[in-house]
Amino acid sequence: MSKEVPAIAEIVDLLSKKWVMRIIWELREGPLTFRELQVACEGLSPTVLNNRLKLLQVNQLLGKDDVRGYVLTAMGLELLEVYKPLNHWAKRWQANRKQK
Amino acid sequence: MSKEVPAIAEIVDLLSKKWVMRIIWELREGPLTFRELQVACEGLSPTVLNNRLKLLQVNQLLGKDDVRGYVLTAMGLELLEVYKPLNHWAKRWQANRKQK
DNA sequence: GGTTGCGCTACTTATTTAGTAGCGCTATAG
DNA sequence: CTATAGCGCTACTAAATAAGTAGCGCAACC
């Protein structure tokens, strides 16, 4: 069994790469093309976008749509669901900081 | 209302910085000193550790313990709770990838 | 007053991300 | 045809971020 990498460590590492979560987020409503993604991410450079798309495909969080662009896989969609509670927490956190 | 930064964006940005989540994770069981954190994070350089500690303090996710080292604030602990579902998802995700 | 361990800074190097130009391909229009 | 327009993407350079290593200033203890 040697040196199992804990799943949580692996995903935190992946999600820590810049733009990864943002790209997933932008695909929440359906497929987007390479250039649409670039625009959605405020002009993110094609270099990084391409790297991220490869990375996310290898990790099966997104794939190419039959018709056009990139789409989230079932796993990718689930990840978004899992992130929802974080959204709620984030709002309280933000409010909390502003008090001080 | 001008240019509100969505809370989720802000926190994703923060958590995307390397070692941030890891440091929070390592503090889950109680306070650790600067050097203990370095060891826990496998020799993470003091430069980055110090940066992250400042960042996390400003953002009220951790603070200095009265007695020794650094501890999570209430908000920091809550963030860990929120991350638990991600852990479960991550395990399924990892298993899923290995099949192929 | 010498030693030990602490939090931390200063400095250099390596890795990651950003920015910009433009290629090769396909599809549609003139 | 050919031309022109948009696409996914690569190549190259520059800037920002992180890693690595040495060691300082301070406090506690002997």
Side-chain angles (χ1 to χ4, degrees), chain B residues 70-88:
Chain B
Y70 295 88
V71 249
L72 294 177
T73 60
M75 269 282 151
L77 282 165
E78 274 182 41
L79 179 57
L80 269 179
E81 284 303 306
V82 170
Y83 253 70
K84 278 189 181 166
L86 183 64
N87 201 352
H88 300 143

Side-chain angles (χ1 to χ4, degrees), chain A residues 3-40:
Chain A
K3 258 240 151 140
E4 295 263 357
V5 181
I8 185 73
E10 226 179 318
I11 194 65
V12 164
D13 196 60
L14 179 61
L15 298 181
S16 287
K17 291 195 185 293
K18 217 165 171 183
W19 294 109
V20 163
M21 212 42 225
R22 174 70 175 270
I23 290 167
I24 293 173
W25 175 250
E26 295 296 348
L27 289 173
R28 84 202 101 101
E29 310 254 271
L32 291 176
T33 67
F34 192 96
R35 296 213 173 174
E36 283 166 346
L37 274 169
Q38 261 196 282
V39 172

Side-chain angles (χ1 to χ4, degrees), chain A residues 33-35 38 46-47 50 53-54 64 70:
Chain A
T33 67
F34 192 96
R35 296 213 173 174
Q38 261 196 282
T47 326
N50 194 28
L53 289 173
K54 279 177 186 161
K64 296 205 183 195
Y70 296 88

Side-chain angles (χ1 to χ4, degrees), chain B residues 33-35 46-47 50 54 64 70:
Chain B
T33 67
F34 192 96
R35 297 212 172 172
T47 325
N50 193 29
K54 278 175 188 162
K64 297 207 182 192
Y70 295 88

Side-chain angles (χ1 to χ4, degrees), chain A:
Chain A
M1 285 286 144
S2 72
K3 258 240 151 140
E4 295 263 357
V5 181
I8 185 73
E10 226 179 318
I11 194 65
V12 164
D13 196 60
L14 179 61
L15 298 181
S16 287
K17 291 195 185 293
K18 217 165 171 183
W19 294 109
V20 163
M21 212 42 225
R22 174 70 175 270
I23 290 167
I24 293 173
W25 175 250
E26 295 296 348
L27 289 173
R28 84 202 101 101
E29 310 254 271
L32 291 176
T33 67
F34 192 96
R35 296 213 173 174
E36 283 166 346
L37 274 169
Q38 261 196 282
V39 172
C41 296
E42 295 150 46
L44 163 61
S45 73
T47 326
V48 176
L49 177 54
N50 194 28
N51 281 344
R52 294 302 178 263
L53 289 173
K54 279 177 186 161
L55 190 62
L56 288 169
Q57 277 175 291
V58 166
N59 286 289
Q60 313 203 9
L61 296 176
L62 60 81
K64 296 205 183 195
D65 189 70
D66 290 339
V67 185
R68 63 187 284 277
Y70 296 88
V71 248
L72 293 178
T73 60
M75 269 282 152
L77 282 166
E78 276 182 39
L79 179 56
L80 269 180
E81 284 303 307
V82 171
Y83 254 69
K84 278 189 184 166
L86 184 65
N87 201 352
H88 300 144
W89 176 87
K91 280 177 190 155
R92 283 190 298 124
W93 166 73
Q94 202 181 44
N96 200 283
R97 267 182 325 153
K98 280 181 179 163
Q99 288 172 12
K100 311 221 171 171

